[in-house]
Amino acid sequence: MTTTIPRIPSSSSSSLVAVATTTTTKTLSFEKKKKKIKKSIFRSSFNKRSCCSCYETHSSSSSLSAASTAREKKNEDDRKRNNNKTISRREGVLKTGAIVMMSTQAQLVFLDATNDKNNNNFAARAQEDKEENNKMKENYDAYSRTYDDLDGNKRVVETLGIDQLRTKMFERVKGDVLELAVGTGLNLPYYKRVKSLTAIDLSPGMLEKAEEKFRELEKRDIEDNSDDRKNTNVKFEIANVESLPYEDETFDYVVDTFSMCVFEKPDAALREAKRVLKKGGKLLLFEHSRAKKNALLSTYQSATSGMVKKMAKGCDWSQDVERLVGEAGFTKVTWGPFEEAGGLLEALEVQK
């Protein structure tokens, strides 16, 4: 079977070309519009994003500004609080300082009052001691006229063995010597060839008697052609045994016989004796003492101490001499102790 393709007339071809051209032109025009629309959409989109970005940036900036303001406010509040704390601390320190000052002032006032009281007490005690010393001086001035009749009574001395013990005692004495409470000078005859002798007493009446006795001894030495006291430098001075007017470490020997019992403060006298002794110097004592080996006699001494003190020129015959010496710092006994009269008398030598 044969197919026949129809032919298109030439006029129709022209019309088709025209139609095709028109269609192409419309198509191009549409494409251009499409592109314009896309560009417009793109620009619109870009502009929108830019605005959003700008808005976001503005919003972020606003947020940062607000945060900064908040921080500044917080810092300012913190500074105010710190300032308040500092002020409070300063006020506290000032108040504390004021309290301390007030307390210190109160303490100073109290101390001043205490010192005044202590000074008044000290002054009162000093006045009492002065009055006591004056009374003792007056009493011993009165005793000086008859003192040798009692303490120097030959019968009493021989009966109690005092003379023999004194002789042995003073054989030990040498160098520069200080005798406490020399009295009327009952020990003066026993000193042999000492370098110097300083004899002290509180009573001018006693010292006067002692000087008279020493002058008699010097005359006797000349008559007997003796040199026992020829080169001895002797001084008689008024002084208080509780406050000796001599430099430290002045004497080789400090001697006392039967006076410790009448000293108002024997402990002070012993400390002073130790002070004025040279290093290695010695304290030599012959004293009334408690009868330590006889309990019954010791008890009797304690019971009658007050009465005996009133009757025997203030003598406390119940004191413990060894204890007093030890408490004064003398610990080395170099001679004795020797006891006489059943322990009522005791002699000993101790070293500094």
Side-chain angles (χ1 to χ4, degrees), residues 281-292:
K282 296 175 181 178
L283 172 68
L284 193 57
L285 301 175
F286 193 5
E287 307 290 346
H288 295 289
S289 182
R290 179 184 295 275
K292 294 181 285 295

Side-chain angles (χ1 to χ4, degrees), residues 9-65:
S10 56
S11 58
S12 296
S13 296
S14 298
S15 298
L16 288 171
V17 171
V19 170
T21 299
T22 302
T23 301
T24 299
T25 300
K26 288 181 178 179
T27 299
L28 290 171
S29 178
F30 177 76
E31 289 294 332
K32 287 180 179 180
K33 288 181 179 180
K34 186 177 179 181
K35 286 181 179 180
K36 285 182 179 181
I37 290 170
K38 285 183 178 181
K39 286 180 179 180
S40 177
I41 292 171
F42 178 76
R43 287 194 188 97
S44 177
S45 176
F46 178 78
N47 290 336
K48 186 176 181 180
R49 283 199 300 273
S50 295
C51 287
C52 290
S53 176
C54 180
Y55 175 76
E56 289 171 1
T57 301
H58 179 70
S59 298
S60 177
S61 177
S62 298
S63 298
L64 289 172
S65 177

Side-chain angles (χ1 to χ4, degrees), residues 96 109 135 142 223 244 287 334:
T96 303
V109 170
K135 183 179 179 181
E223 292 173 357
L244 296 173
E287 307 290 346
T334 51

Side-chain angles (χ1 to χ4, degrees), residues 203-300:
S203 165
M206 288 285 190
L207 284 176
E208 184 179 350
K209 291 288 184 181
E211 287 189 75
E212 290 176 1
K213 191 168 291 182
F214 186 76
R215 301 297 171 239
E216 292 175 2
L217 289 170
E218 285 184 317
K219 289 179 182 179
R220 191 183 305 169
D221 287 342
I222 294 172
E223 292 173 357
D224 296 341
N225 198 24
S226 172
D227 59 354
D228 285 348
R229 281 160 285 273
K230 184 177 181 180
N231 298 315
T232 301
N233 180 23
V234 180
K235 295 185 295 183
F236 295 90
E237 298 179 341
I238 296 174
N240 188 338
V241 294
E242 297 172 9
S243 181
L244 296 173
Y246 308 111
E247 298 290 333
D248 295 355
E249 301 185 359
T250 301
F251 301 100
D252 298 295
Y253 263 87
V254 174
V255 177
D256 182 80
T257 61
F258 304 111
S259 299
M260 200 65 62
C261 60
V262 298
F263 292 158
E264 189 68 24
K265 298 177 182 177
D267 52 342
L270 288 170
R271 286 195 298 270
E272 279 291 274
K274 184 181 179 184
R275 180 183 66 80
V276 300
L277 275 171
K278 297 176 183 178
K279 186 176 181 180
K282 296 175 181 178
L283 172 68
L284 193 57
L285 301 175
F286 193 5
E287 307 290 346
H288 295 289
S289 182
R290 179 184 295 275
K292 294 181 285 295
K293 295 179 181 179
N294 188 327
L296 184 61
L297 182 55
S298 177
T299 302
Y300 176 75

